[in-house]
Amino acid sequence: MPRMTARERREAYQREYQFQKKTGKPFFPYAVLHDTITSLVVVALIMGLTILWHSGFGPAPTEAGGERPGGFLGPAYEAQADPGTASYDPRPEWYFFFLFQLLRIFSTPELLLFGTIIVPTMLMVLMLAWPFLDRGPERRVSRRPVSMALAIGTPIVLLALTWSGSQAPAVGGAASGHAGAALFADTGLGCASCHTLKDAGASGTVGPVLDTLNPDYKTALDFITNGKAGTAMQSYKAKGATADQIACVASYVAAWANGGAKAASVDQAKYAAACKAAGADGTTK
Ligand code: HEC
C-alpha cells in the first residue's frame, strides 16, 4: 500500500471519528461508571486485606519496643529499630534491587553520580521522549526490530540487575565463628572499619585488604602492636589493647585471611590460649 499523504490521513481520521461518534458509547455515563466500579473494587480489596491483616494480630508485646506478630500478611509492627546496631545489613526492597545493583557497579566516588542520577535520569527521559522519537507508522511486530529489541531487552536488563542486586553480599557481613573474628570486627577492636577480611565479614577500605596481603603472624603482630608511623594504622598497644587481645587478633589475621591459606603456619596452641585469655574464643574450630 502506498503511503498516505497528510491530507488523506486527516480525512481518514475524520471519517473514523465521525463513525465512532455515531456508533460508539459516550464517555458519560459509560466510561465514568466503568471507572467508578473499578475504583470501588480496588478500595474494597484494600479494606478486605486490612481487615484480614488486623484479624491476624498476635498478642501485644510485653516489653516496650517489642515486636507484635501478625498473620500471613505480615507483623502488626516490628521491633523498634536499634540505632546502635553494628550488624544490620542495609538493603532496599526487592523492587529497588536494580538501582542498588547500579550503585554497586558505579561504586567509586567519582562514578557514583552515574549510578544515582545520570543513568536513571537518562532512562526516564528516554521513556518520556520515546513517542516523539519513534514516529514510524508501522505497527507490525516483525517490522519493528529496534523497538522490539528495546522492548525485550529492557526487562531482561532490569531483571538481570534485580537478580544480581539480590545476590549482593552483606555489607560488612557476619563474622565467622573463628576465634578472634569478633575481636577483629567493628564491635571488637574496630579493625573492620579499615580492613577487608572476608572471614570476619569486614569490608573496610582505609587500610590494605588483608586477604590479599595475608601477612604471617610475626608481621601482623608487629603492625598491630606498634602500628606504622605516618599511616592510619595505630599502635594497639598504645591504644590499650591487652597483649592477649593483640596476640589473638594477630593469630586470627595470619590464620584466616585469604580463606585460611596460612592457617597451618600459625601456632594453634598459642592462638587458642591468647584468644581464650582475651575472652574471644570462637564458636567454631
Ligand atoms: C584507622 C584505620 C585502621 C584500623 C582501625 C586498623 N588498621 Fe591495620 N592498617 C591500616 C593501614 C592504613 C595499614 C597500612 C600501613 C602501611 O602503609 O603499611 C594497615 C596495615 C595493617 C597490617 C599490615 C598488613 C601487611 O601485611 O602489610 C595488618 C596486619 C593490620 N593492619 C591489621 C590490623 C588489625 C588486626 C587491626 C585491628 C586490631 C587494624 N589493622 C586496625 C589501617 C588501619
Side-chain angles (χ1 to χ4, degrees):
M1 185 177 95
R3 282 204 152 199
M4 289 193 281
T5 63
R7 188 199 167 105
E8 282 165 341
R9 255 205 314 272
R10 226 170 8 248
E11 282 170 2
Y13 172 79
Q14 279 300 332
R15 270 199 305 281
E16 173 73 12
Y17 178 74
Q18 294 304 338
F19 173 75
Q20 289 296 351
K21 205 161 175 168
K22 237 185 282 152
T23 59
K25 291 179 175 166
F27 182 76
F28 186 87
Y30 292 98
V32 172
L33 186 69
H34 182 267
D35 284 5
T36 309
I37 291 172
T38 311
S39 314
L40 286 177
V41 168
V42 171
V43 171
L45 206 70
I46 293 172
M47 281 169 64
L49 283 172
T50 312
I51 292 167
L52 214 61
W53 170 64
H54 197 274
S55 69
F57 280 12
T62 45
E63 88 264 31
E67 170 175 332
R68 181 167 192 185
F72 68 100
L73 284 177
Y77 42 83
E78 296 179 336
Q80 206 168 51
D82 170 13
T85 179
S87 59
Y88 180 69
D89 173 31
R91 55 183 60 220
E93 298 288 341
W94 66 268
Y95 44 82
F96 280 133
F97 274 157
F98 72 102
L99 279 175
F100 183 54
Q101 180 63 16
L102 273 185
L103 264 180
R104 282 163 33 81
I105 293 172
F106 300 106
S107 58
T108 63
E110 306 85 63
L111 293 177
L112 203 60
L113 268 189
F114 274 94
T116 50
I117 297 181
I118 297 177
V119 172
T121 306
M122 261 170 21
L123 291 178
M124 222 116 66
V125 169
L126 188 66
M127 197 169 74
L128 289 178
W130 195 247
F132 303 97
L133 294 175
D134 178 15
R135 306 286 310 265
E138 190 60 70
R139 299 193 129 193
R140 196 178 302 189
V141 167
S142 61
R143 297 218 186 124
R144 310 189 65 196
V146 176
S147 304
M148 278 302 129
L150 279 175
I152 294 169
T154 308
I156 289 178
V157 169
L158 282 178
L159 281 175
L161 284 174
T162 300
W163 186 82
S164 33
S166 75
Q167 299 299 307
V171 179
S176 75
H178 295 131
L183 205 52
F184 189 94
D186 284 326
T187 43
L189 295 175
C191 321
S193 57
C194 288
H195 289 289
T196 292
L197 200 167
K198 207 155 163 245
D199 185 81
S203 53
T205 53
V206 177
V209 175
L210 294 177
D211 287 318
T212 312
L213 290 179
N214 200 183
D216 59 20
Y217 174 73
K218 266 187 66 181
T219 311
L221 187 73
D222 176 45
F223 266 92
I224 301 162
T225 308
N226 305 311
K228 179 157 174 189
T231 76
M233 186 67 207
Q234 294 179 317
S235 158
Y236 273 80
K237 198 173 162 195
K239 284 177 84 169
T242 66
D244 287 322
Q245 283 180 321
I246 293 176
C248 169
V249 81
S251 305
Y252 168 71
V253 169
W256 292 110
N258 194 16
K262 282 195 185 158
S265 74
V266 173
D267 183 338
Q268 294 295 330
K270 224 161 91 185
Y271 176 14
C275 287
K276 189 150 194 267
D281 309 40
T283 53
T284 61
K285 289 283 161 257

